[in-house]
Amino acid sequence: MSSGKKIFFENLDSIRFFAAMMVFFQHAVKPTFENLDLLQNTQFLKFLNVICDGGTGVSVFFVLSGFLITYLIISEIKITGRLGLINFYIRRFLRIWPLYILIVCFSFLLYPGLKDFLGVNKPLCSNIWYHLVFISNFDIINVREVCYELQALTQSVTWSVSVEEQFYLFWPLIFLLPKKLWLYIISFLVIFSLYFRYNHQEDFTIMYFHTFSVLIDLTVGALLAHIVIYSDRIKKYFENSNTLSHALLFIITFLVLFFGTEIIFGAYNKTFERLITSILFALIIGSQSFTKNKSILCLGNIKFADKWGKKTYGIYLLHPIAISIIDISFRLLGFFKYKDSFLPHISATILMYILTLGLCWISYHYFEKHFLKMKSKYQKIKSHTILEIKKVNA
């Protein structure tokens, strides 16, 4: 195995952090504003929906995953001449499985006991086997169709991890095929996902949680990686991105999220809106990853986000536990109606945020890091070798 510094895009950790925060905001921050008169202001409500949209955060994660995994796979093939398939799966196992399984055990073994302790007798409808084999997104679809709301947040948050694991299972197999087919296959999967969304555009649950529906994000990210590696012109565009181009991308993306795309696509908006947002996310990721300019809008300049961005997997999976712990604590202290008033609720939310970061820090340094060190043993690509890709016979 090769040792040394791996491929690293310095601004992407901050993007991960902001995506994770959008998920946290939806689950913890947005509910604190429900009793405020400000929500009578339609524009404020729309703004709140943009910054507290966990679905948008997850979409960013998907585009980012599709980009990074495809970039690493193609880079490894171009440099070493082959893809180490077994090593790829081992790396994914060591990164994803340990904390995920820990969360599943908490959700199905410990959480029910906590509910009994609090005298909450509402049964949960989730099936642990869906979660253990990484198809929990289909468990959520089933729960929402058969027994709506009978699921814990710690269980439901795992759905996107399952989608990514499904993607990781089949995605490297594409790159065992002849190189000339790669772009066609990725493009076909983009179209396939759009066709699937068209056929299910009236079913919110399928559109939000089904693997084929959200595949559009992953494949757009993959297209970005393929295009950047094989198109000098496109890569040069991203390398030349600066403060102005970064600002324009951020503004356009915010406006699209704020106003939506229905005015453009009309009755077909639910089919195509995710394509537009995933393309915008991909452009932001590309410009942040490859810029050679000292843009003040490089998100890596935000040190707090950059630092905690390395721990966003823990933030994403552990924040429901932090929310549950603070909620239970407030109830045990007799504050059963703390959610009815803004100040008590926002106080609880701040504690949820602090506890989320605390649990995340502990998980990263005392649990996940051990597996990440093992993962590095199966990493072949060094960052400096990427500069030599063009010298390798494609």
Side-chain angles (χ1 to χ4, degrees):
M1 303 297 170
S2 298
S3 60
K5 189 176 180 181
K6 299 182 286 293
I7 296 173
F8 180 69
F9 299 110
E10 61 179 349
N11 295 313
L12 297 191
D13 281 335
S14 292
I15 293 179
R16 290 188 183 96
F17 176 78
F18 290 121
M21 285 300 97
M22 294 185 78
V23 178
F24 175 83
F25 287 171
Q26 176 176 324
H27 295 151
V29 176
K30 186 178 178 180
T32 65
F33 290 88
E34 290 179 351
N35 295 319
L36 289 181
D37 293 336
L38 281 172
L39 286 188
Q40 303 304 317
N41 184 318
T42 304
Q43 300 306 313
F44 177 81
L45 180 59
K46 289 173 69 174
F47 174 78
L48 191 65
N49 286 334
V50 170
I51 65 173
C52 298
D53 190 340
T56 299
V58 170
S59 182
V60 172
F61 277 128
F62 284 156
V63 176
L64 191 54
S65 292
F67 164 69
L68 287 174
I69 289 302
T70 306
Y71 193 93
L72 289 170
I73 287 175
I74 295 178
S75 298
E76 181 175 336
I77 292 172
K78 291 179 76 67
I79 292 168
T80 68
R82 60 184 292 274
L83 172 63
L85 196 59
I86 300 300
N87 289 343
F88 174 86
Y89 289 130
I90 291 174
R91 292 195 301 270
R92 292 301 91 205
F93 168 83
L94 292 171
R95 183 66 190 101
I96 301 297
W97 285 47
L99 184 58
Y100 176 90
I101 296 300
L102 197 64
I103 296 301
V104 170
C105 289
F106 172 86
S107 299
F108 287 93
L109 301 180
L110 295 179
Y111 186 72
L114 288 174
K115 289 182 61 182
D116 290 340
F117 175 74
L118 293 172
V120 179
N121 297 317
K122 186 168 69 173
L124 296 177
C125 191
S126 298
N127 187 325
I128 189 173
W129 293 108
Y130 280 77
H131 294 255
L132 291 177
V133 296
F134 291 94
I135 54 173
S136 59
N137 58 315
F138 294 103
D139 182 56
I140 292 185
I141 292 172
N142 180 65
V143 169
R144 292 177 67 94
E145 291 178 349
V146 178
C147 41
Y148 187 70
E149 291 189 343
L150 294 183
Q151 185 176 48
L153 180 60
T154 53
Q155 296 167 353
S156 61
V157 78
T158 64
W159 77 271
S160 64
V161 181
S162 290
V163 169
E164 292 205 6
E165 280 298 278
Q166 295 161 32
F167 177 74
Y168 297 149
L169 179 63
F170 86 86
W171 195 249
L173 303 179
I174 292 174
F175 299 92
L176 300 179
L177 299 173
K179 183 181 67 175
K180 62 183 179 181
L181 297 178
W182 296 349
L183 184 59
Y184 292 109
I185 294 173
I186 298 172
S187 301
F188 168 78
L189 290 173
V190 171
I191 296 170
F192 169 78
S193 183
L194 287 174
Y195 179 72
F196 182 88
R197 291 177 62 83
Y198 170 76
N199 284 313
H200 297 86
Q201 60 182 346
E202 300 306 320
D203 190 330
F204 170 81
T205 302
I206 295 295
M207 292 284 278
Y208 194 93
F209 295 107
H210 199 287
T211 307
F212 292 160
S213 177
V214 300
L215 184 62
I216 188 72
D217 294 335
L218 293 151
T219 48
V220 166
L223 272 177
L224 170 66
H226 188 283
I227 292 171
V228 167
I229 288 178
Y230 288 105
S231 172
D232 291 339
R233 183 178 178 181
I234 298 298
K235 188 172 184 180
K236 192 72 174 177
Y237 163 78
F238 287 127
E239 290 175 345
N240 290 332
S241 59
N242 52 29
T243 300
L244 177 60
S245 58
H246 287 163
L248 287 174
L249 274 176
F250 289 142
I251 292 171
I252 292 170
T253 301
F254 177 81
L255 291 176
V256 167
L257 294 174
F258 188 85
F259 292 105
T261 56
E262 190 170 3
I263 192 173
I264 301 173
F265 298 111
Y268 302 102
N269 183 57
K270 293 178 182 178
T271 298
F272 291 101
E273 62 179 345
R274 193 149 186 157
L275 173 64
I276 300 304
T277 55
S278 59
I279 289 173
L280 288 171
F281 298 152
L283 291 174
I284 290 174
I285 289 168
S287 65
Q288 291 285 318
S289 298
F290 298 102
T291 181
K292 291 184 176 180
N293 294 307
K294 297 294 183 180
S295 168
I296 62 174
L297 291 179
C298 282
L299 296 179
N301 294 330
I302 306 173
K303 299 306 179 184
F304 185 85
D306 183 62
K307 173 184 176 180
W308 286 97
K310 298 175 177 61
K311 307 175 181 65
T312 47
Y313 185 52
I315 291 175
Y316 181 77
L317 284 180
L318 291 168
H319 82 270
I321 295 179
I323 291 173
S324 298
I325 290 174
I326 299 301
D327 179 67
I328 291 171
S329 299
F330 268 59
R331 293 174 187 275
L332 289 176
L333 292 171
F335 301 108
F336 295 100
K337 296 184 178 181
Y338 74 92
K339 292 183 180 180
D340 294 341
S341 301
F342 177 74
L343 288 179
H345 201 169
I346 196 66
S347 299
T349 300
I350 292 171
L351 292 175
M352 290 170 184
Y353 180 71
I354 294 171
L355 183 57
T356 294
L357 295 185
L359 291 177
C360 170
W361 189 89
I362 293 170
S363 170
Y364 182 81
H365 287 283
Y366 293 101
F367 183 67
E368 297 171 65
K369 220 170 186 180
H370 298 293
F371 298 99
L372 294 177
K373 288 179 180 178
M374 296 169 60
K375 172 178 171 282
S376 65
K377 298 178 182 178
Y378 299 92
Q379 193 82 37
K380 287 188 176 183
I381 303 299
K382 301 177 183 179
S383 60
H384 71 272
T385 58
I386 293 301
L387 301 176
E388 304 299 321
I389 286 179
K390 290 183 171 56
K391 298 180 181 179
V392 179
N393 186 358

